Amino acid sequence: MDMLKGSLWDKILIFTLPIAASSILQQLFNSADVAVVGHFAGSQALAAVGSNSQVISLIINVFLGLSVGANVVIANLLGEGKTKNIREAVHTAISVSFISGFVLIFVGFVLARPILTLMGTPEDVLESAIFYLRIYFAGMPFIMLYNFGSAILRSKGDTQRPLYALIVAGVLNLVLNLIFVICFKMNVGGVGLATLISNAISSILVLIFLLREKSELRVDLRKLCINRTYLLRMIKIGVPAGLQGMVFNFSNVLIQGAINGFGSSAMAGSAAGQNYEFFTFYVVSAFNQTTVTFTSQNMGARQYDRCKKIFKLCWLYSVSIVAVMLTLFVVFREFFVGLCTVDPLAIEYGCIRILVVETFDCLICNYEIGASAMRAMGHSLLPAVETIFGVCVLRIVWILTVFAHFKKILEPLQSFAVLMAVYPVSWIITGPLVLGTYFVIRKKTFRTL
């Protein structure tokens, strides 16, 4: 795809839709995991699996941020036309993916019990949650390879082959879930093992694509190396983004800890409701990646007017699509939660989460698209700091003050709604803050370059 010439509205959609489809498809399979566990293994097993999502994100976000840095660096080099440098950057990215994957195996195994214990995970769920988390982290080398490999392919406009890899892995994941959980009664362990195997397949397929690539993005395993210059550039862009995600998920881990205090039914219902938040978030995330890649290439080519159009289109598309999706989820919330659990109390909690959180989900487009545009322009630290303040700090304060107060005087379902209100409140504050900074930096950057 030529990102430097021609119309943008169609190219942005062609680039973004496979990314969004990949993430949504992955979430559909994850939802199938939740449904299989919830219906065939019970609410406790569902709570064990669902309570881990924020922990996983908390631990791996810094390394996933590096894959964002790899995407920006390689896309920028493509825009500048530096073929030899691209090869060095590509092999650096793959080397980093292998190293980070093995580091995360150790980190996940060591931190599984302490983190889940600190979160107040109930005793009837704790051991199953630890078991699932350790199985999941055993597959980290595959997860890192898939994410870095996909970032490399996306840097030149190829979003379709990562989708193909995910389709194959997702179908396999669903089939293995049914076999392990229903036939072999493996419950939480079966879900974890199916996820590990499917992640291995998707990463191997992406690696095969790169090994057979005909362009300068081709990977030669004999030439794997760490180029210090490109590693530092990836770190400069990726680490702030990763830290932003890490701190973001730290606040979510605290929220999950508060949810755990309501018991396993609330944990199960929250996990069911959160599934649908992932759908809308992944649409925004897809436009984030589009914003980063298109803006990076055009920044490299010094086409600043196109950079402005890219931001505008990505913001408009993400807001419009998310608005349609959240409307469906809110209106038919009982149906969607009921797909994941048959526990009446869990369904009540899940419906509350969807009603309070999903109704305002469009607001995340403001700070997500704005932050992605700034990263592509080389400003990664400032949006990270603003998001940490607007999201993480505010959420911690909310939990310790507003939620703590109302939990003492309200019924459990009502105080759960107060807890969930922390999400839209933080979005209302963070969005305008990041958007305003983006416009200031854009004006200054394009005037001086």
Side-chain angles (χ1 to χ4, degrees), residues 74-272:
I74 296 170
N76 203 261
L77 291 171
L78 284 167
E80 295 173 353
K82 297 180 178 179
T83 303
K84 180 181 177 181
N85 305 74
I86 293 169
R87 294 194 182 100
E88 294 180 0
V90 166
H91 287 91
T92 297
I94 294 296
S95 299
V96 171
S97 76
F98 285 130
I99 294 169
S100 60
F102 285 104
V103 168
L104 282 168
I105 291 179
F106 174 77
V107 172
F109 270 72
V110 171
L111 294 182
R113 182 177 294 276
I115 289 182
L116 289 170
T117 302
L118 284 172
M119 289 171 61
T121 306
E123 287 296 326
D124 60 344
V125 174
L126 180 61
E127 293 304 322
S128 295
I130 293 171
F131 184 46
Y132 173 81
L133 191 59
R134 286 177 171 167
I135 295 175
Y136 191 96
F137 270 87
M140 274 300 150
F142 302 120
I143 294 173
M144 290 297 109
L145 178 58
Y146 176 82
N147 279 281
F148 277 82
S150 298
I152 292 169
L153 292 171
R154 284 196 302 269
S155 66
K156 73 158 190 173
D158 183 358
T159 56
Q160 295 183 349
R161 284 186 290 178
L163 171 60
Y164 301 152
L166 203 59
I167 290 173
V168 172
V171 171
L172 178 64
N173 184 41
L174 177 57
V175 172
L176 290 177
N177 269 319
L178 295 171
I179 294 173
F180 291 156
V181 176
I182 298 175
C183 299
F184 296 131
K185 308 297 182 183
M186 294 175 66
N187 297 341
V188 171
V191 175
L193 184 58
T195 301
L196 189 154
I197 294 171
S198 64
N199 284 333
I201 296 300
S202 63
S203 67
I204 290 169
L205 288 173
V206 167
L207 180 59
I208 290 172
F209 296 151
L210 290 169
L211 291 172
R212 295 180 177 179
E213 178 65 34
K214 302 298 183 183
S215 71
E216 58 272 13
L217 300 183
R218 184 174 182 270
V219 170
D220 185 341
L221 295 177
R222 296 169 297 181
K223 296 181 179 180
L224 291 180
C225 62
I226 300 289
N227 181 293
R228 186 170 178 272
T229 300
Y230 295 121
L231 175 61
L232 290 175
R233 287 176 64 181
M234 291 176 193
I235 290 173
K236 180 182 177 182
I237 297 167
V239 168
L243 287 174
Q244 172 186 323
M246 184 177 180
V247 177
F248 181 89
N249 280 101
F250 175 74
S251 67
N252 287 340
V253 164
L254 294 180
I255 294 171
Q256 184 64 50
I259 293 170
N260 294 350
F262 289 92
S264 58
S265 289
M267 293 170 67
S270 178

Side-chain angles (χ1 to χ4, degrees), residues 275-291:
N275 264 312
Y276 304 105
E277 295 166 33
F278 288 138
F279 284 116
T280 49
F281 175 76
Y282 286 142
V283 169
V284 181
S285 179
F287 281 104
N288 281 349
Q289 295 173 56
T290 302
T291 304

Side-chain angles (χ1 to χ4, degrees), residues 33 53 98 131 234 262 279 284 317 326 346 363 423 438:
D33 292 352
S53 60
F98 285 130
F131 184 46
M234 291 176 193
F262 289 92
F279 284 116
V284 181
Y317 280 142
L326 69 84
L363 297 176
Y423 289 106
Y438 161 72

